[in-house]
């Protein structure tokens, strides 16, 4: 930051004004901003249009007041750079990510201190004295010199070194009581609770996992927002990074479908469990129509993982405890999920979900404002949405974790596009965008909620088209179709023991099922019945041909050769058996545990020799597996 020793304002006030100016400049990027300047008497905001008369100074002041805190004085607005002034440096990504000058409430600032200060020195209390530009921090005991140095370094990283820091003792200081922690309708409920406030009613394992999630965020949040080398895989616990295909199911509010529907299509099902009070007395496992022991075994196998986007106490403690006890690597808390989602947004868009110097952000928006687009209204909506995303996203994600991710992505743009069509779909767009962005960060396929009364499918397709840059195709399988398709095409019983289903399905089969079922999705009842009928006829033909070579031994090869010899000698009544068919059958019998048998080449050869389609061969194999 520029030398402000000659400024008449205290350093803390200067820091606040630099932040406010950065926000103001983004929100008014259509103006030509020359910078924020100061001398020994005043602070100046210089805008070229004020000098030429193209901008109304009252309107400019009104815009600035929307971002100005009550405690900071208004600057002087001028059209030219005054003589003998100095310019403030622009607000840096480091300052944004660590919330320097952020207008915290008392609750928010207390939470920040609880997260960053060492647990060994807590509890504490603090007070500001603006007249003296001082920040006082009182602990319940006297700190050692080493502890004092560590506290000072931490306070400096939080941007508090602009105050005169004083450390004192107050033996009456105590932790926030449990009753205060869990009161409803309090700001703490949306903010991610500091780990020191996770009560002893949670197990040590949960508290360690939660603390690890917090430490991960402290250590990596700068890289999350600024480094192109930081990968979303860096955010995953071990259980989330070892599968090829996965899906994300958000069961926070809406009831979801039979878990068999998802397990048959994906190697891993990532679930955001229901919020406390949303299950209407049902066990979490029963919502997905599985028994408790089945649910626990699926977690142990890594087939089910749970993510918790919101504050820990908003979920049923039994659900959290059980998954952590069975398989700790199958749990992801809010901050890791937020980090992977932000990185996913950045990778997909290049502009959203990234923290840049405010000077660069303004330059980008200023250039975009000069573009003559074919549809200027839509382009303006995009510029406003980008500015909205860049204003305070770091603070919201830092405070609310995954719950604040929707501020970083394309939800605002999607909402504005619908506003241009005369529809207010802000709630729907932000809700679906959050889930889509979680799935994107997890590298998973998003399964939107779909029922006869309400569906997220259209909204999810709209969000997906914005992220992919192309119109979303409508051939994805809807959740309402899954159960019927799995039953009539693959004959999977909706009440089948889910562990037996998991045992029966090979990895390679699961990978092929989604593409197979897409051919049957979106059909009318009559069209589906006709197509399934034709499929069943093909499978009956396969079974007839397969029965002729079942459980062959070496004599089968002799029979195949005899058949060829008979034809060669003109004996046309010999039972002709293709040699390739014998070889393929022998492989399935004597090498049936070899994963390579499920490769594409084997399926093609089987279909060719049985004179059938590859899909029919695949369905036939799956039906045999789940019988």
């Amino acid at each position: 930051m520029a030398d402000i020793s000659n400024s008449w304002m205290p350093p803390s006030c200067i820091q606040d004004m630099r932040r406010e100016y950065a926000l103001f400049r983004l929100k008014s990027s259509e103006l030509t901003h020359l910078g924020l300047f100061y001398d020994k008497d005043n602070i100046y905001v210089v805008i070229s249009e004020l000098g030429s008369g193209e901008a109304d100074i009252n309107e400019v002041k009104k815009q600035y007041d929307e971002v100005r805190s009550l405690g900071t004085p208004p600057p002087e607005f001028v059209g030219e750079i005054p003589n003998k002034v100095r310019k403030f440096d622009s607000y840096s990504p480091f300052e944004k990510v660590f919330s320097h000058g952020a207008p915290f409430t008392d609750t928010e600032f207390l939470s920040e201190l609880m997260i960053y200060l060492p647990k060994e020195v807590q509890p504490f209390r603090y007070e500001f004295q603006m007249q003296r530009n001082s920040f006082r921090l009182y602990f319940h005991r006297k700190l050692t010199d080493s502890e004092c140095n560590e506290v000072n370094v931490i306070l400096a990283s939080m941007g508090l070194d602009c105050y005169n820091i004083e450390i004192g003792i107050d033996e009456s200081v105590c932790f926030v009581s449990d009753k205060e922690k869990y009161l409803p309708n309090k700001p703490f409920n949306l903010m991610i609770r500091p780990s020191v406030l996770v009560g002893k009613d949670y197990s040590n394992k949960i508290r360690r996992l939660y603390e690890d999630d917090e430490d991960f965020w402290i250590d990596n949040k700068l890289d999350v927002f600024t480094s192109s080398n930081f990968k979303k895989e860096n955010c995953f616990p071990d259980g989330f990074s070892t599968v090829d295909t996965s899906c994300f199911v958000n069961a926070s509010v809406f009831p979801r479908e039979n878990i068999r529907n998802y397990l048959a299509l994906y190697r891993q099902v990532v679930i955001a469990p229901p919020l406390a009070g949303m299950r209407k007395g049902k066990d979490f496992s029963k919502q997905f129509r599985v028994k408790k022991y089945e649910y626990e075994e699926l977690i142990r196998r890594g087939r089910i993982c749970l993510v918790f986007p919101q504050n820990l106490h908003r979920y049923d403690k039994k659900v959290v405890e059980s998954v952590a006890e069975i398989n700790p690597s199958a749990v992801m808390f809010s901050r890791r999920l937020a980090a992977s989602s932000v990185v996913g947004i950045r990778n997909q868009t290049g502009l959203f979900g990234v923290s840049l110097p405010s000077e660069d952000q303004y330059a980008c928006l200023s250039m975009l404002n000069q573009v003559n687009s074919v549809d200027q209204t839509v382009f303006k909506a995009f510029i406003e949405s980008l500015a909205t995303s860049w204003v305070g996203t770091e603070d919201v994600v830092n405070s609310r974790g995954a719950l604040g991710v929707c501020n970083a992505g394309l939800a605002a743009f999607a909402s504005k596009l619908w506003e241009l069509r005369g529809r207010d779909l802000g709630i729907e767009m932000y809700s679906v965008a959050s889930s889509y962005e979680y799935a994107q960060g997890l590298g998973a396929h998003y399964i939107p909620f779909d029922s006869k009364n309400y569906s997220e499918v259209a909204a999810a397709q709209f969000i997906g088209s914005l992220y992919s840059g192309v119109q979303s195709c409508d051939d994805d399988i809807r959740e309402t179709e899954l159960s019927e398709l799995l039953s009539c095409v693959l004959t999977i019983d909706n009440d089948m023991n889910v562990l037996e289903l998991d045992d029966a399905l090979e990895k390679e089969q699961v990978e092929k099922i989604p593409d197979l079922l897409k051919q049957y999705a979106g059909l009318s009842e009559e069209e589906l019945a006709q197509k399934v009928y034709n499929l069943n006829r093909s499978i009956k033909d396969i079974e007839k041909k397969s029965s002729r070579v079942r459980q062959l031994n070496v004599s089968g090869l002799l029979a195949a050769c005899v058949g060829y010899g008979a034809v060669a000698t003109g004996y046309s009544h010999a039972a002709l058996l293709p040699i390739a068919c014998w070889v393929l059958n022998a492989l399935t019998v004597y090498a049936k545990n070899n994963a390579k048998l499920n490769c594409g080449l084997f399926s093609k050869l089987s279909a060719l020799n049985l004179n059938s389609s590859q899909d029919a061969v695949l369905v036939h194999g799956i039906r045999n597996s789940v019988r």
Side-chain angles (χ1 to χ4, degrees):
M1 190 170 74
D3 179 18
I4 56 174
S5 57
N6 294 323
S7 173
W8 54 275
M9 283 189 183
S12 57
C13 192
I14 294 294
Q15 179 175 261
D16 294 345
M17 291 195 71
R18 289 176 59 243
R19 176 187 173 85
E20 290 166 4
Y21 174 71
L23 302 182
F24 165 67
R25 189 162 57 167
L26 293 180
K27 290 193 170 187
S28 57
S29 60
E30 71 280 1
L31 299 175
T32 307
H33 293 269
L34 300 182
L36 182 67
F37 298 83
Y38 72 98
D39 59 22
K40 63 179 182 179
D41 299 316
N42 211 341
I43 290 182
Y44 308 92
V45 170
V46 185
I47 301 173
S48 293
E49 286 81 357
L50 292 177
S52 62
E54 298 175 48
D56 183 350
I57 191 169
N58 292 323
E59 285 297 319
V60 171
K61 287 180 178 179
K62 185 177 178 180
Q63 279 184 288
Y64 189 87
D65 284 340
E66 292 178 0
V67 300
R68 184 171 68 88
S69 302
L70 292 176
T72 56
E76 184 176 336
F77 295 89
V78 296
E80 296 180 351
I81 300 174
N83 294 325
K84 298 181 179 179
V85 293
R86 302 183 68 179
K87 187 177 181 180
F88 286 113
D89 294 337
S90 65
Y91 205 53
S92 70
F94 181 89
E95 291 173 302
K96 293 178 185 181
V97 172
F98 286 89
S99 304
H100 289 195
F104 287 122
T105 64
D106 178 68
T107 302
E108 291 168 339
F109 187 67
L110 179 62
S111 176
E112 286 291 289
L113 289 174
M114 286 180 173
I115 290 171
Y116 283 101
L117 291 177
K119 294 174 177 56
E120 296 77 20
V121 303
Q122 298 191 42
F124 60 87
R125 69 175 179 86
Y126 72 90
E127 62 182 38
F128 286 100
Q129 289 191 349
M130 293 301 180
Q131 300 89 339
R132 299 177 55 219
N133 192 50
S134 72
F135 172 70
R136 292 184 176 181
L137 199 55
Y138 297 92
F139 296 94
H140 66 293
R141 62 173 176 82
K142 183 177 180 180
L143 303 188
T144 65
D145 291 342
S146 176
E147 288 173 332
C148 283
N149 291 335
E150 184 178 4
V151 167
N152 279 309
V153 169
I154 290 170
L155 296 179
S157 72
M158 296 175 66
L160 295 172
D161 53 341
C162 59
Y163 293 92
N164 300 315
I165 297 174
E166 302 175 22
I167 295 177
I169 302 172
D170 183 353
E171 295 179 355
S172 66
V173 172
C174 60
F175 280 112
V176 179
S177 69
D178 284 346
K179 289 184 179 179
E180 288 182 87
K181 286 187 231 173
Y182 296 103
L183 285 175
N185 302 319
K186 294 293 182 181
F188 259 143
N189 291 347
L190 292 181
M191 295 165 52
I192 299 302
R193 189 177 306 283
S195 60
V196 294
L197 294 185
V198 176
K200 293 184 178 179
D201 49 332
Y202 286 93
S203 67
N204 289 335
K205 186 170 290 185
I206 286 292
R207 296 208 299 274
R208 283 195 299 270
L209 287 171
Y210 193 81
E211 187 174 337
D212 172 74
D213 186 63
E214 184 176 271
D215 291 341
F216 169 85
W217 181 251
I218 293 172
D219 294 339
N220 294 285
K221 68 177 183 176
L222 183 62
D223 286 339
V224 167
F225 284 107
T226 63
S227 175
S228 59
N229 294 323
F230 189 85
K231 308 299 182 185
K232 60 188 179 184
E233 290 78 12
N234 297 347
C235 311
F236 298 163
D238 292 341
F240 286 76
S241 56
T242 58
V243 298
D244 300 318
T245 60
S246 62
C247 69
F248 173 67
V249 180
N250 194 340
S252 299
V253 177
F254 296 117
R256 302 312 294 259
E257 287 292 328
N258 191 328
I259 194 72
R260 295 163 186 79
N261 296 348
Y262 313 127
L263 292 172
L265 272 68
Y266 302 96
R267 290 301 301 164
Q268 187 174 82
V269 182
V270 183
I271 302 172
L275 298 173
M278 298 302 299
R279 294 179 297 115
K280 299 180 180 179
K282 287 186 179 180
D283 286 340
F284 174 51
S285 57
K286 288 182 180 178
Q287 176 179 328
F288 291 95
R289 294 174 62 177
V290 293
K291 295 180 174 61
K292 184 179 178 182
Y293 81 89
E294 294 175 326
Y295 161 72
E296 292 177 348
E297 179 59 27
L298 290 171
I299 290 175
R300 190 173 288 109
R301 295 180 182 186
R303 292 282 266 135
I304 292 179
C305 292
L306 298 189
V307 295
F308 299 89
Q310 299 196 34
N311 222 332
L312 183 60
H313 79 278
R314 303 199 75 187
Y315 297 95
D316 189 320
K317 190 170 66 173
K318 291 180 180 178
V319 173
V320 184
E321 292 281 7
S322 63
V323 66
E325 185 62 35
I326 297 166
N327 185 0
S329 65
V331 179
M332 185 186 290
F333 286 123
S334 185
R335 296 190 185 279
R336 284 182 179 270
L337 179 60
S340 67
S341 302
V342 168
V343 174
I345 291 170
R346 182 196 69 205
N347 292 345
Q348 203 66 22
T349 65
L351 285 174
F352 292 80
V354 60
S355 188
L356 301 169
S358 61
E359 196 78 39
D360 295 345
Q361 290 176 329
Y362 166 68
C364 176
L365 294 175
S366 181
M367 286 188 291
L368 290 174
N369 273 297
Q370 298 173 33
V371 173
N372 292 319
S373 172
V374 175
D375 192 334
Q376 199 65 33
T377 306
V378 172
F379 200 69
K380 184 179 179 182
F382 173 78
I383 296 172
E384 291 175 356
S385 303
L386 181 58
T388 300
S389 171
W390 280 345
V391 173
T393 286
E394 298 90 349
D395 295 337
V396 177
V397 176
N398 183 63
S399 173
R400 298 186 176 184
L403 200 59
V405 163
C406 57
N407 292 73
L410 296 178
F413 182 45
S415 301
K416 285 184 180 293
L417 290 178
W418 283 109
E419 284 179 19
L420 295 176
R421 301 180 188 182
R423 300 187 65 184
D424 182 7
L425 297 179
I427 294 176
E428 289 84 352
M429 291 298 107
Y430 274 89
S431 174
V432 172
S434 293
S435 296
Y436 185 95
E437 286 154 0
Y438 297 158
Q440 188 171 250
L442 293 166
H445 179 259
Y446 171 48
I447 300 183
F449 176 72
D450 184 35
S451 72
K452 294 180 180 179
N453 298 322
Y454 178 74
S455 176
E456 294 179 331
V457 172
Q461 289 174 343
F462 185 69
I463 295 293
S465 68
L466 294 180
Y467 272 107
S468 63
V470 296
Q471 185 174 359
S472 179
C473 59
D474 197 23
D475 64 351
D476 282 345
I477 308 167
R478 298 173 74 104
E479 190 171 22
T480 48
E481 297 178 294
L482 276 175
S483 183
E484 181 183 4
L485 291 178
L486 289 170
S487 177
C488 67
V489 177
L490 302 181
T491 64
I492 294 177
D493 187 348
N494 287 332
D495 296 316
M496 177 183 182
N497 183 295
V498 71
L499 298 181
E500 291 180 2
L501 174 64
D502 187 40
D503 292 337
L505 292 176
E506 298 289 342
K507 174 184 175 182
E508 289 77 10
Q509 289 176 330
V510 173
E511 291 173 351
K512 294 173 183 176
I513 288 175
D515 288 334
L516 170 68
L517 293 187
K518 281 182 182 180
Q519 301 174 42
Y520 297 83
L523 301 178
S524 67
E525 186 175 342
E526 184 176 342
E527 291 171 332
L528 178 61
Q530 179 66 39
K531 195 156 187 173
V532 170
Y533 170 74
N534 293 333
L535 174 68
N536 289 336
R537 286 184 59 186
S538 298
I539 290 174
K540 285 181 180 178
D541 289 341
I542 291 174
E543 289 174 343
K544 288 179 182 178
K545 294 172 183 176
S546 298
S547 64
R548 294 168 52 194
V549 290
R550 192 159 292 146
Q551 297 292 334
L552 289 175
N553 53 24
V554 177
S555 63
L557 178 59
L558 178 62
C561 294
V562 168
Y564 279 99
V567 171
T569 57
Y571 186 62
S572 59
H573 296 288
L576 180 62
L577 179 66
I579 191 168
C581 190
W582 181 89
V583 173
L584 291 170
N585 183 80
L587 284 173
T588 59
V589 173
Y590 299 111
K592 59 185 176 182
N593 293 323
N594 193 324
K596 293 182 180 179
L597 290 183
N598 289 302
C599 68
L601 177 61
F602 187 84
S603 298
K604 289 178 182 178
L605 291 174
S606 297
L608 181 64
N609 283 275
L610 292 170
N611 194 26
S612 183
S613 68
Q614 290 186 60
D615 289 344
V617 172
L618 174 62
V619 172
H620 177 245
I622 294 173
R623 287 184 179 181
N624 284 337
S625 298
V626 299
R627 278 176 183 165

